PDB file of all heavy atoms in Angstrom:
ATOM      1  N   SER A   1      -4.990  -7.163   6.268  1.00  0.00           N
ATOM      2  CA  SER A   1      -5.301  -7.611   7.582  1.00  0.00           C
ATOM      3  C   SER A   1      -4.326  -8.322   8.317  1.00  0.00           C
ATOM      4  O   SER A   1      -3.923  -8.091   9.432  1.00  0.00           O
ATOM      5  CB  SER A   1      -6.653  -8.332   7.530  1.00  0.00           C
ATOM      6  OG  SER A   1      -7.093  -8.887   8.726  1.00  0.00           O
ATOM      7  N   GLU A   2      -3.563  -9.342   7.609  1.00  0.00           N
ATOM      8  CA  GLU A   2      -2.622 -10.097   8.083  1.00  0.00           C
ATOM      9  C   GLU A   2      -1.415  -9.290   8.610  1.00  0.00           C
ATOM     10  O   GLU A   2      -0.888  -9.430   9.753  1.00  0.00           O
ATOM     11  CB  GLU A   2      -2.160 -11.132   7.104  1.00  0.00           C
ATOM     12  CG  GLU A   2      -0.904 -11.974   7.452  1.00  0.00           C
ATOM     13  CD  GLU A   2      -1.101 -13.104   8.373  1.00  0.00           C
ATOM     14  OE1 GLU A   2      -2.199 -13.167   8.937  1.00  0.00           O
ATOM     15  OE2 GLU A   2      -0.224 -13.926   8.588  1.00  0.00           O
ATOM     16  N   LEU A   3      -0.925  -8.373   7.729  1.00  0.00           N
ATOM     17  CA  LEU A   3       0.285  -7.610   7.998  1.00  0.00           C
ATOM     18  C   LEU A   3       0.053  -6.666   9.127  1.00  0.00           C
ATOM     19  O   LEU A   3       0.814  -6.389  10.040  1.00  0.00           O
ATOM     20  CB  LEU A   3       0.723  -6.913   6.721  1.00  0.00           C
ATOM     21  CG  LEU A   3       2.261  -6.422   6.788  1.00  0.00           C
ATOM     22  CD1 LEU A   3       3.184  -7.526   7.005  1.00  0.00           C
ATOM     23  CD2 LEU A   3       2.541  -5.646   5.445  1.00  0.00           C
ATOM     24  N   SER A   4      -1.105  -6.124   9.147  1.00  0.00           N
ATOM     25  CA  SER A   4      -1.534  -5.163  10.229  1.00  0.00           C
ATOM     26  C   SER A   4      -1.684  -5.887  11.635  1.00  0.00           C
ATOM     27  O   SER A   4      -1.145  -5.380  12.581  1.00  0.00           O
ATOM     28  CB  SER A   4      -2.916  -4.468   9.860  1.00  0.00           C
ATOM     29  OG  SER A   4      -3.381  -3.714  10.900  1.00  0.00           O
ATOM     30  N   GLU A   5      -2.326  -7.024  11.475  1.00  0.00           N
ATOM     31  CA  GLU A   5      -2.521  -7.812  12.793  1.00  0.00           C
ATOM     32  C   GLU A   5      -1.058  -8.286  13.342  1.00  0.00           C
ATOM     33  O   GLU A   5      -0.917  -8.233  14.562  1.00  0.00           O
ATOM     34  CB  GLU A   5      -3.304  -8.956  12.506  1.00  0.00           C
ATOM     35  CG  GLU A   5      -3.689  -9.821  13.801  1.00  0.00           C
ATOM     36  CD  GLU A   5      -4.468 -11.076  13.425  1.00  0.00           C
ATOM     37  OE1 GLU A   5      -5.344 -10.984  12.541  1.00  0.00           O
ATOM     38  OE2 GLU A   5      -4.294 -12.069  14.102  1.00  0.00           O
ATOM     39  N   LYS A   6      -0.240  -8.705  12.490  1.00  0.00           N
ATOM     40  CA  LYS A   6       0.990  -9.293  12.922  1.00  0.00           C
ATOM     41  C   LYS A   6       2.108  -8.263  13.354  1.00  0.00           C
ATOM     42  O   LYS A   6       3.088  -8.494  14.106  1.00  0.00           O
ATOM     43  CB  LYS A   6       1.671 -10.158  11.855  1.00  0.00           C
ATOM     44  CG  LYS A   6       0.795 -11.441  11.532  1.00  0.00           C
ATOM     45  CD  LYS A   6       0.723 -12.373  12.779  1.00  0.00           C
ATOM     46  CE  LYS A   6      -0.299 -13.566  12.552  1.00  0.00           C
ATOM     47  NZ  LYS A   6       0.344 -14.406  11.482  1.00  0.00           N
ATOM     48  N   THR A   7       1.893  -6.972  12.817  1.00  0.00           N
ATOM     49  CA  THR A   7       2.961  -6.030  13.064  1.00  0.00           C
ATOM     50  C   THR A   7       2.449  -4.754  13.872  1.00  0.00           C
ATOM     51  O   THR A   7       3.311  -3.913  14.256  1.00  0.00           O
ATOM     52  CB  THR A   7       3.516  -5.467  11.704  1.00  0.00           C
ATOM     53  OG1 THR A   7       2.568  -4.763  11.032  1.00  0.00           O
ATOM     54  CG2 THR A   7       4.058  -6.636  10.814  1.00  0.00           C
ATOM     55  N   GLY A   8       1.223  -4.586  13.914  1.00  0.00           N
ATOM     56  CA  GLY A   8       0.666  -3.459  14.523  1.00  0.00           C
ATOM     57  C   GLY A   8       0.520  -2.187  13.636  1.00  0.00           C
ATOM     58  O   GLY A   8       0.106  -1.111  14.095  1.00  0.00           O
ATOM     59  N   GLU A   9       0.838  -2.384  12.370  1.00  0.00           N
ATOM     60  CA  GLU A   9       0.792  -1.259  11.406  1.00  0.00           C
ATOM     61  C   GLU A   9      -0.661  -1.017  11.168  1.00  0.00           C
ATOM     62  O   GLU A   9      -1.487  -1.916  11.032  1.00  0.00           O
ATOM     63  CB  GLU A   9       1.614  -1.592  10.203  1.00  0.00           C
ATOM     64  CG  GLU A   9       1.616  -0.339   9.132  1.00  0.00           C
ATOM     65  CD  GLU A   9       2.434   0.778   9.716  1.00  0.00           C
ATOM     66  OE1 GLU A   9       3.660   0.556   9.984  1.00  0.00           O
ATOM     67  OE2 GLU A   9       1.946   1.974   9.905  1.00  0.00           O
ATOM     68  N   LYS A  10      -1.095   0.352  10.962  1.00  0.00           N
ATOM     69  CA  LYS A  10      -2.405   0.678  10.675  1.00  0.00           C
ATOM     70  C   LYS A  10      -2.786   0.277   9.268  1.00  0.00           C
ATOM     71  O   LYS A  10      -2.006   0.477   8.391  1.00  0.00           O
ATOM     72  CB  LYS A  10      -2.692   2.257  10.979  1.00  0.00           C
ATOM     73  CG  LYS A  10      -2.449   2.583  12.272  1.00  0.00           C
ATOM     74  CD  LYS A  10      -2.759   4.117  12.378  1.00  0.00           C
ATOM     75  CE  LYS A  10      -2.711   4.575  13.896  1.00  0.00           C
ATOM     76  NZ  LYS A  10      -2.892   6.154  14.017  1.00  0.00           N
ATOM     77  N   PRO A  11      -3.920  -0.414   9.184  1.00  0.00           N
ATOM     78  CA  PRO A  11      -4.350  -0.943   7.850  1.00  0.00           C
ATOM     79  C   PRO A  11      -4.319   0.161   6.797  1.00  0.00           C
ATOM     80  O   PRO A  11      -3.925  -0.154   5.593  1.00  0.00           O
ATOM     81  CB  PRO A  11      -5.818  -1.452   8.069  1.00  0.00           C
ATOM     82  CG  PRO A  11      -5.869  -1.752   9.510  1.00  0.00           C
ATOM     83  CD  PRO A  11      -4.948  -0.773  10.233  1.00  0.00           C
ATOM     84  N   HIS A  12      -4.806   1.292   7.021  1.00  0.00           N
ATOM     85  CA  HIS A  12      -4.892   2.280   6.014  1.00  0.00           C
ATOM     86  C   HIS A  12      -3.517   2.748   5.547  1.00  0.00           C
ATOM     87  O   HIS A  12      -3.424   3.294   4.423  1.00  0.00           O
ATOM     88  CB  HIS A  12      -5.707   3.545   6.449  1.00  0.00           C
ATOM     89  CG  HIS A  12      -5.038   4.490   7.404  1.00  0.00           C
ATOM     90  ND1 HIS A  12      -5.140   4.321   8.741  1.00  0.00           N
ATOM     91  CD2 HIS A  12      -4.368   5.601   7.219  1.00  0.00           C
ATOM     92  CE1 HIS A  12      -4.416   5.244   9.381  1.00  0.00           C
ATOM     93  NE2 HIS A  12      -3.889   6.078   8.416  1.00  0.00           N
ATOM     94  N   HIS A  13      -2.479   2.661   6.354  1.00  0.00           N
ATOM     95  CA  HIS A  13      -1.123   2.974   5.889  1.00  0.00           C
ATOM     96  C   HIS A  13      -0.732   1.956   4.790  1.00  0.00           C
ATOM     97  O   HIS A  13      -0.169   2.376   3.716  1.00  0.00           O
ATOM     98  CB  HIS A  13      -0.212   2.818   7.085  1.00  0.00           C
ATOM     99  CG  HIS A  13      -0.169   3.893   8.089  1.00  0.00           C
ATOM    100  ND1 HIS A  13       0.463   3.846   9.220  1.00  0.00           N
ATOM    101  CD2 HIS A  13      -1.011   5.023   8.017  1.00  0.00           C
ATOM    102  CE1 HIS A  13       0.106   4.997   9.918  1.00  0.00           C
ATOM    103  NE2 HIS A  13      -0.757   5.687   9.206  1.00  0.00           N
ATOM    104  N   ILE A  14      -1.003   0.680   4.929  1.00  0.00           N
ATOM    105  CA  ILE A  14      -0.670  -0.322   4.015  1.00  0.00           C
ATOM    106  C   ILE A  14      -1.482  -0.197   2.726  1.00  0.00           C
ATOM    107  O   ILE A  14      -0.903  -0.222   1.617  1.00  0.00           O
ATOM    108  CB  ILE A  14      -0.823  -1.780   4.615  1.00  0.00           C
ATOM    109  CG1 ILE A  14      -0.029  -1.969   5.939  1.00  0.00           C
ATOM    110  CG2 ILE A  14      -0.375  -2.795   3.577  1.00  0.00           C
ATOM    111  CD1 ILE A  14      -0.358  -3.153   6.650  1.00  0.00           C
ATOM    112  N   ARG A  15      -2.829   0.100   2.812  1.00  0.00           N
ATOM    113  CA  ARG A  15      -3.559   0.261   1.729  1.00  0.00           C
ATOM    114  C   ARG A  15      -3.208   1.534   0.910  1.00  0.00           C
ATOM    115  O   ARG A  15      -3.191   1.557  -0.233  1.00  0.00           O
ATOM    116  CB  ARG A  15      -5.099   0.490   2.333  1.00  0.00           C
ATOM    117  CG  ARG A  15      -6.184   0.483   1.139  1.00  0.00           C
ATOM    118  CD  ARG A  15      -7.558   0.647   1.710  1.00  0.00           C
ATOM    119  NE  ARG A  15      -7.846  -0.434   2.645  1.00  0.00           N
ATOM    120  CZ  ARG A  15      -7.931  -0.189   4.064  1.00  0.00           C
ATOM    121  NH1 ARG A  15      -7.852   0.920   4.583  1.00  0.00           N
ATOM    122  NH2 ARG A  15      -8.151  -1.234   4.841  1.00  0.00           N
ATOM    123  N   ARG A  16      -2.851   2.594   1.553  1.00  0.00           N
ATOM    124  CA  ARG A  16      -2.378   3.833   0.992  1.00  0.00           C
ATOM    125  C   ARG A  16      -1.105   3.502   0.172  1.00  0.00           C
ATOM    126  O   ARG A  16      -0.889   3.976  -1.034  1.00  0.00           O
ATOM    127  CB  ARG A  16      -2.062   4.964   1.954  1.00  0.00           C
ATOM    128  CG  ARG A  16      -1.556   6.166   1.358  1.00  0.00           C
ATOM    129  CD  ARG A  16      -1.365   7.191   2.555  1.00  0.00           C
ATOM    130  NE  ARG A  16      -0.307   6.702   3.451  1.00  0.00           N
ATOM    131  CZ  ARG A  16       0.058   7.205   4.639  1.00  0.00           C
ATOM    132  NH1 ARG A  16      -0.659   8.152   5.117  1.00  0.00           N
ATOM    133  NH2 ARG A  16       0.959   6.636   5.393  1.00  0.00           N
ATOM    134  N   PHE A  17      -0.149   2.738   0.744  1.00  0.00           N
ATOM    135  CA  PHE A  17       1.117   2.477   0.133  1.00  0.00           C
ATOM    136  C   PHE A  17       0.746   1.669  -1.204  1.00  0.00           C
ATOM    137  O   PHE A  17       1.386   1.953  -2.175  1.00  0.00           O
ATOM    138  CB  PHE A  17       2.001   1.658   1.066  1.00  0.00           C
ATOM    139  CG  PHE A  17       3.253   1.151   0.400  1.00  0.00           C
ATOM    140  CD1 PHE A  17       4.355   1.892   0.349  1.00  0.00           C
ATOM    141  CD2 PHE A  17       3.296  -0.058  -0.206  1.00  0.00           C
ATOM    142  CE1 PHE A  17       5.613   1.492  -0.174  1.00  0.00           C
ATOM    143  CE2 PHE A  17       4.538  -0.510  -0.843  1.00  0.00           C
ATOM    144  CZ  PHE A  17       5.617   0.264  -0.821  1.00  0.00           C
ATOM    145  N   LEU A  18      -0.040   0.635  -1.132  1.00  0.00           N
ATOM    146  CA  LEU A  18      -0.359  -0.183  -2.316  1.00  0.00           C
ATOM    147  C   LEU A  18      -1.065   0.634  -3.415  1.00  0.00           C
ATOM    148  O   LEU A  18      -0.768   0.449  -4.541  1.00  0.00           O
ATOM    149  CB  LEU A  18      -1.196  -1.411  -1.948  1.00  0.00           C
ATOM    150  CG  LEU A  18      -0.541  -2.442  -0.980  1.00  0.00           C
ATOM    151  CD1 LEU A  18      -1.491  -3.551  -0.742  1.00  0.00           C
ATOM    152  CD2 LEU A  18       0.756  -2.961  -1.601  1.00  0.00           C
ATOM    153  N   GLY A  19      -1.855   1.678  -2.970  1.00  0.00           N
ATOM    154  CA  GLY A  19      -2.424   2.593  -3.926  1.00  0.00           C
ATOM    155  C   GLY A  19      -1.377   3.390  -4.588  1.00  0.00           C
ATOM    156  O   GLY A  19      -1.412   3.606  -5.862  1.00  0.00           O
ATOM    157  N   LYS A  20      -0.389   3.908  -3.889  1.00  0.00           N
ATOM    158  CA  LYS A  20       0.761   4.557  -4.517  1.00  0.00           C
ATOM    159  C   LYS A  20       1.586   3.786  -5.426  1.00  0.00           C
ATOM    160  O   LYS A  20       1.993   4.237  -6.423  1.00  0.00           O
ATOM    161  CB  LYS A  20       1.606   5.297  -3.369  1.00  0.00           C
ATOM    162  CG  LYS A  20       0.939   6.407  -2.622  1.00  0.00           C
ATOM    163  CD  LYS A  20       1.886   7.018  -1.587  1.00  0.00           C
ATOM    164  CE  LYS A  20       1.295   8.295  -0.908  1.00  0.00           C
ATOM    165  NZ  LYS A  20       2.199   8.899   0.072  1.00  0.00           N
ATOM    166  N   SER A  21       1.736   2.501  -4.964  1.00  0.00           N
ATOM    167  CA  SER A  21       2.608   1.654  -5.839  1.00  0.00           C
ATOM    168  C   SER A  21       1.913   1.447  -7.224  1.00  0.00           C
ATOM    169  O   SER A  21       2.550   1.356  -8.233  1.00  0.00           O
ATOM    170  CB  SER A  21       2.724   0.291  -5.136  1.00  0.00           C
ATOM    171  OG  SER A  21       3.584  -0.557  -5.732  1.00  0.00           O
ATOM    172  N   LYS A  22       0.523   1.270  -7.131  1.00  0.00           N
ATOM    173  CA  LYS A  22      -0.227   1.080  -8.410  1.00  0.00           C
ATOM    174  C   LYS A  22      -0.084   2.367  -9.202  1.00  0.00           C
ATOM    175  O   LYS A  22       0.097   2.325 -10.431  1.00  0.00           O
ATOM    176  CB  LYS A  22      -1.742   0.878  -8.149  1.00  0.00           C
ATOM    177  CG  LYS A  22      -2.510   0.664  -9.350  1.00  0.00           C
ATOM    178  CD  LYS A  22      -3.970   0.323  -9.070  1.00  0.00           C
ATOM    179  CE  LYS A  22      -4.778   0.115 -10.333  1.00  0.00           C
ATOM    180  NZ  LYS A  22      -4.675   1.293 -11.246  1.00  0.00           N
ATOM    181  N   GLU A  23      -0.198   3.542  -8.555  1.00  0.00           N
ATOM    182  CA  GLU A  23      -0.174   4.820  -9.231  1.00  0.00           C
ATOM    183  C   GLU A  23       1.237   4.948  -9.973  1.00  0.00           C
ATOM    184  O   GLU A  23       1.415   5.415 -11.110  1.00  0.00           O
ATOM    185  CB  GLU A  23      -0.343   5.949  -8.348  1.00  0.00           C
ATOM    186  CG  GLU A  23      -0.335   7.383  -9.076  1.00  0.00           C
ATOM    187  CD  GLU A  23      -0.686   8.465  -8.166  1.00  0.00           C
ATOM    188  OE1 GLU A  23      -0.361   8.349  -6.870  1.00  0.00           O
ATOM    189  OE2 GLU A  23      -1.345   9.464  -8.552  1.00  0.00           O
ATOM    190  N   LEU A  24       2.305   4.539  -9.234  1.00  0.00           N
ATOM    191  CA  LEU A  24       3.633   4.565  -9.811  1.00  0.00           C
ATOM    192  C   LEU A  24       3.788   3.667 -11.149  1.00  0.00           C
ATOM    193  O   LEU A  24       4.307   4.150 -12.021  1.00  0.00           O
ATOM    194  CB  LEU A  24       4.689   4.081  -8.832  1.00  0.00           C
ATOM    195  CG  LEU A  24       5.314   5.052  -7.799  1.00  0.00           C
ATOM    196  CD1 LEU A  24       6.107   4.382  -6.774  1.00  0.00           C
ATOM    197  CD2 LEU A  24       6.135   6.099  -8.562  1.00  0.00           C
ATOM    198  N   TYR A  25       3.167   2.507 -11.000  1.00  0.00           N
ATOM    199  CA  TYR A  25       3.177   1.610 -12.155  1.00  0.00           C
ATOM    200  C   TYR A  25       2.392   2.315 -13.348  1.00  0.00           C
ATOM    201  O   TYR A  25       2.859   2.150 -14.541  1.00  0.00           O
ATOM    202  CB  TYR A  25       2.535   0.281 -11.818  1.00  0.00           C
ATOM    203  CG  TYR A  25       2.560  -0.725 -12.948  1.00  0.00           C
ATOM    204  CD1 TYR A  25       3.710  -1.433 -13.187  1.00  0.00           C
ATOM    205  CD2 TYR A  25       1.523  -0.954 -13.731  1.00  0.00           C
ATOM    206  CE1 TYR A  25       3.783  -2.395 -14.257  1.00  0.00           C
ATOM    207  CE2 TYR A  25       1.455  -1.829 -14.770  1.00  0.00           C
ATOM    208  CZ  TYR A  25       2.633  -2.496 -14.930  1.00  0.00           C
ATOM    209  OH  TYR A  25       2.634  -3.462 -16.060  1.00  0.00           O
ATOM    210  N   ASP A  26       1.302   2.824 -13.043  1.00  0.00           N
ATOM    211  CA  ASP A  26       0.452   3.435 -14.100  1.00  0.00           C
ATOM    212  C   ASP A  26       1.120   4.566 -14.761  1.00  0.00           C
ATOM    213  O   ASP A  26       1.083   4.763 -16.033  1.00  0.00           O
ATOM    214  CB  ASP A  26      -0.915   3.877 -13.537  1.00  0.00           C
ATOM    215  CG  ASP A  26      -1.854   2.769 -13.181  1.00  0.00           C
ATOM    216  OD1 ASP A  26      -1.591   1.569 -13.568  1.00  0.00           O
ATOM    217  OD2 ASP A  26      -2.699   2.997 -12.315  1.00  0.00           O
ATOM    218  N   LEU A  27       1.952   5.274 -13.982  1.00  0.00           N
ATOM    219  CA  LEU A  27       2.562   6.457 -14.471  1.00  0.00           C
ATOM    220  C   LEU A  27       3.921   6.099 -15.234  1.00  0.00           C
ATOM    221  O   LEU A  27       4.311   6.736 -16.268  1.00  0.00           O
ATOM    222  CB  LEU A  27       2.988   7.445 -13.300  1.00  0.00           C
ATOM    223  CG  LEU A  27       1.962   8.358 -12.873  1.00  0.00           C
ATOM    224  CD1 LEU A  27       2.537   9.090 -11.543  1.00  0.00           C
ATOM    225  CD2 LEU A  27       1.531   9.325 -13.893  1.00  0.00           C
ATOM    226  N   THR A  28       4.551   4.986 -14.812  1.00  0.00           N
ATOM    227  CA  THR A  28       5.947   4.742 -15.414  1.00  0.00           C
ATOM    228  C   THR A  28       6.001   3.571 -16.336  1.00  0.00           C
ATOM    229  O   THR A  28       6.866   3.485 -17.093  1.00  0.00           O
ATOM    230  CB  THR A  28       6.802   4.425 -14.176  1.00  0.00           C
ATOM    231  OG1 THR A  28       6.479   3.368 -13.447  1.00  0.00           O
ATOM    232  CG2 THR A  28       6.966   5.674 -13.384  1.00  0.00           C
ATOM    233  N   SER A  29       5.031   2.599 -16.358  1.00  0.00           N
ATOM    234  CA  SER A  29       5.177   1.353 -17.032  1.00  0.00           C
ATOM    235  C   SER A  29       5.363   1.605 -18.504  1.00  0.00           C
ATOM    236  O   SER A  29       6.188   1.008 -19.182  1.00  0.00           O
ATOM    237  CB  SER A  29       4.010   0.386 -16.714  1.00  0.00           C
ATOM    238  OG  SER A  29       2.746   0.904 -17.149  1.00  0.00           O
ATOM    239  N   ASP A  30       4.512   2.428 -19.107  1.00  0.00           N
ATOM    240  CA  ASP A  30       4.456   2.571 -20.512  1.00  0.00           C
ATOM    241  C   ASP A  30       5.802   3.342 -20.921  1.00  0.00           C
ATOM    242  O   ASP A  30       6.379   3.190 -21.981  1.00  0.00           O
ATOM    243  CB  ASP A  30       3.326   3.370 -21.042  1.00  0.00           C
ATOM    244  CG  ASP A  30       3.268   3.420 -22.538  1.00  0.00           C
ATOM    245  OD1 ASP A  30       3.168   2.352 -23.132  1.00  0.00           O
ATOM    246  OD2 ASP A  30       3.180   4.502 -23.110  1.00  0.00           O
TER     247      ASP A  30
END
C-alpha cells in the first residue's frame, strides 16, 4: 500500500513480484 501510494505503481504488480521472489527462494534455496 505504501509503495503503491508513494510511487503510483499498481499494487498487484508489487504483490506479483513478491510472489515470484518467494517462488525463486523456494526453488533455489535448498
